[in-house]
Amino acid sequence: MVRYLEQVEMDTVLSLSKRRGFMFQSSDIYGGLNATWDYGPLGVELKRNVKETWWGSVVRERDDMVGLDAAILMHPRVWEVSGHVQNFADPLVECKVCHQRFRADDLEDASGCPACGGELTDPRTFNLMFKTFMGAVEDSASQVYMRPETAQGIFVNLANVLVASRRKLPFGIAQIGKAFRNEITPGNSTFRTREFEQMEIEYFVKPGTDEAHLDSWVEERFSWYVKHGIRKENLRLRRHGDDELAHYARDCYDIEYRFPWGWAELEGVANRTDYDLRSHGEASGHDLRYFDEEAKEHYYPYVIEPSGGVDRAALAFLLDAYEEEPDPSSAKGETRVVLRFHRKMAPIKASVLPLSRNEKLAPTARAIHELVRPHLATQYDDAQSIGRRYRRQDEIGTPFCVTVDFQTLEDRAVTVRDRDTMSQLRVPVADLVSILKDKLEHGW
Ligand code: GAP
């Protein structure tokens, strides 16, 4: 029987993730730092693939988008004017007995501590922004914030980007970068952490066209996850109720993923109206209105914001890829674990495996690896039996294994094995790179 995500324990995937080098607890040798994670050799490739695939889809393949990379530290006024100093807060309650802290709005039953039943304090507002100091003097004048969203870097640069890129509405600015939130209840691995990466789009539109653009971005972003490997049945859309909209939003849809602990937000697509541009325009004294040459009028554009988490997306791609099935090549009834990553997300695209460590095979196998590696993320593996090496590659989701055997020395051809069908194809070494590239683009 094949086991999919819904039956898979989070611990099973986390243990594979640690063993094979996707994610490690940060500062592990000192006992770890709560809710902070480091990406290992495979995890960093997965995360880069998430970001590059997103950047390709939303910037390079579109005429109406450009990119930006703004600084993490911004003028403190940004966060006052954006409303984050005032509103970016969660209600915090603490148990008077065990002293655990909870978000009051997360508790199903707020009459007692969910851990020990003890009495809870009254909720107090807790601002989630991290503070630090700029320069040598640690006083209130030198206090700055670590950005809690990348979006503000886009809003305050809109005028610069418009002049530099000579764009007309509708158009958007995309950015990937770190954000920091002093979350009250981080957890579930990289799902909710205090330091994370966002991939955000601020899409500027004429007021009145905002609802149609919101719908089209919701559709676009939902399909992006499906196109890159997430099972459709594990995704759903949820519209925010009025009571849960962020202080800047008029409307918002969450794209939710069915994590092992339940449905939870992967990405939000919000209608931020002209809230941010109007606030910054009025507070800074700079005219941030757009001049519409056709309508011959100035106005503040409305903003549609698809905002996703890189770490959450990487976690969802990892969880959704996980499958266990009976190993067809095992007489002992062993289990085959496969990460069925979409080819674009797979950390390693092809591995080169000499049939054995025989010294006659090694130079040819090494030369073939050298041929492939400038083009694709590869691995060379010659340890243990070929069957075990196939399993190791399946377990990290490598789409293709290239086997070099004694026949290769005669006919200059290799066998390419497909991870998903386990079928094999004999191909000339001279065509190997172009065949692998083609199969990575279009499938087996
Ligand atoms: N600029 C809008 C904004 O920041 P958000 O819904 O608060 O909206 C957007 O965050 C995305 O960032 C979320 O959908 C999630 O993927 C990611 N994210 C937010 N908080 C996070 C956290 N503590 N840990 C990991 N990812 C987080």
Side-chain angles (χ1 to χ4, degrees):
M1 197 186 93
V2 180
R3 282 201 336 144
Y4 295 115
L5 177 71
E6 58 261 38
Q7 301 125 335
V8 168
E9 304 285 330
M10 186 75 178
D11 287 350
T12 312
V13 181
L14 286 186
S15 120
L16 180 146
S17 148
K18 180 168 185 189
R19 186 163 39 83
R20 300 308 312 270
F22 282 90
M23 284 179 307
F24 310 120
Q25 175 80 57
S26 162
S27 321
D28 213 0
I29 60 168
Y30 290 103
L33 179 66
N34 185 22
T36 42
W37 294 84
D38 299 337
Y39 288 86
L42 294 180
V44 71
E45 295 286 348
L46 169 62
K47 207 173 159 191
R48 287 176 79 105
N49 292 341
V50 171
K51 291 190 275 188
E52 276 165 25
T53 306
W54 182 86
W55 194 261
S57 305
V58 306
V59 180
R60 299 242 166 89
E61 292 164 26
R62 295 179 65 120
D63 291 330
D64 57 348
M65 294 282 306
V66 292
L68 183 79
D69 187 359
I72 288 172
L73 301 176
M74 301 181 73
H75 195 291
R77 280 289 285 152
V78 168
W79 305 109
E80 289 163 16
V81 173
S82 68
H84 283 78
V85 171
Q86 175 79 11
N87 299 310
F88 197 61
D90 283 338
L92 168 75
V93 289
E94 185 172 331
C95 173
K96 292 182 180 171
V97 180
C98 71
H99 299 289
Q100 284 201 55
R101 291 176 178 157
F102 306 94
R103 268 175 64 170
D105 54 343
D106 270 356
L107 295 179
E108 273 175 26
D109 173 11
S111 66
C113 170
C116 74
E119 191 189 341
L120 295 171
T121 59
D122 287 335
R124 73 180 163 89
T125 307
F126 176 76
N127 193 292
L128 300 183
M129 283 196 292
F130 274 98
K131 299 184 189 90
T132 186
F133 299 96
M134 238 173 139
V137 185
E138 296 194 1
D139 62 10
S140 59
S142 63
Q143 184 187 287
V144 290
Y145 298 99
M146 313 274 279
R147 67 179 177 198
E149 60 168 7
T150 66
Q152 296 301 326
I154 297 181
F155 297 132
V156 300
N157 271 298
L158 175 63
N160 291 334
V161 175
L162 269 176
V163 171
S165 63
R166 297 189 299 133
R167 296 285 161 157
K168 287 197 167 58
L169 258 52
F171 97 107
I173 304 179
Q175 172 165 226
I176 298 176
K178 289 264 183 177
F180 301 82
R181 294 182 191 176
N182 201 359
E183 299 279 3
I184 297 170
T185 47
N188 283 325
S189 159
T190 50
F191 177 80
R192 183 171 286 113
T193 51
R194 296 190 170 110
E195 172 186 344
F196 55 95
E197 240 175 317
Q198 289 187 313
M199 33 193 194
E200 297 202 295
I201 295 165
E202 307 304 324
Y203 196 74
F204 303 97
V205 305
K206 185 171 184 177
T209 64
D210 45 314
E211 286 175 20
H213 282 293
L214 177 69
D215 291 346
S216 108
W217 272 109
V218 167
E219 158 69 29
E220 166 101 22
R221 294 302 306 144
F222 190 96
S223 333
W224 185 83
Y225 290 101
V226 177
K227 181 176 172 197
H228 296 105
I230 303 240
R231 284 164 242 244
K232 206 169 173 185
E233 63 269 26
N234 290 334
L235 286 170
R236 74 174 187 192
L237 275 182
R238 193 181 65 79
R239 194 174 192 173
H240 279 208
D242 287 345
D243 56 340
E244 54 177 332
L245 285 171
H247 63 273
Y248 48 72
R250 165 187 285 183
D251 198 358
C252 184
Y253 289 85
D254 280 351
I255 300 171
E256 293 190 335
Y257 178 69
R258 194 191 335 204
F259 286 95
W261 62 90
W263 291 98
E265 176 186 347
L266 200 51
E267 171 160 347
V269 188
N271 182 349
R272 283 181 87 129
T273 69
D274 60 359
Y275 175 90
D276 302 87
L277 292 177
R278 184 180 288 278
S279 306
H280 287 307
E282 288 169 2
S284 69
H286 285 266
D287 188 357
L288 298 186
R289 290 174 309 160
Y290 172 80
F291 180 63
D292 187 326
E293 283 171 15
E294 273 169 35
K296 301 270 181 277
E297 57 172 338
H298 284 93
Y299 52 78
Y300 286 107
Y302 267 36
V303 175
I304 305 304
E305 179 193 63
S307 170
V310 178
D311 310 85
R312 273 190 202 178
L315 181 62
F317 282 118
L318 177 66
L319 289 164
D320 215 75
Y322 188 92
E323 261 184 49
E324 288 174 9
E325 62 181 24
D327 186 342
S329 63
S330 164
K332 294 188 224 148
E334 287 164 311
T335 298
R336 174 179 182 243
V337 172
V338 197
L339 288 183
R340 291 200 197 278
F341 283 125
H342 183 276
R343 305 173 298 281
K344 284 208 167 155
M345 296 300 163
I348 304 295
K349 308 296 184 201
S351 61
V352 175
L353 317 174
L355 191 63
S356 72
R357 275 192 168 160
N358 185 295
E359 60 188 25
K360 284 192 186 138
L361 278 184
T364 305
R366 288 269 177 211
I368 291 170
H369 185 227
E370 292 305 317
L371 185 76
V372 178
R373 72 193 308 182
H375 304 274
L376 312 168
T378 58
Q379 268 189 0
Y380 183 87
D381 188 1
D382 63 0
Q384 299 181 307
S385 75
I386 190 75
R388 289 189 88 117
R389 282 179 277 156
Y390 284 151
R391 294 296 163 266
R392 271 207 295 273
Q393 293 299 327
D394 290 342
E395 204 186 37
I396 62 168
T398 307
F400 306 117
C401 290
V402 176
T403 310
V404 180
D405 55 25
F406 290 100
Q407 189 67 25
T408 308
L409 307 181
E410 311 286 322
D411 63 2
R412 297 292 298 159
V414 287
T415 302
V416 179
R417 168 193 180 266
D418 174 46
R419 175 197 70 201
D420 294 337
T421 59
M422 290 194 276
S423 53
Q424 304 195 350
L425 196 68
R426 194 82 183 159
V427 306
V429 172
D431 300 336
L432 178 61
V433 170
S434 61
I435 289 173
L436 287 174
K437 280 185 173 174
D438 180 68
K439 295 204 175 300
L440 282 166
E441 189 60 34
H442 303 110
W444 182 249

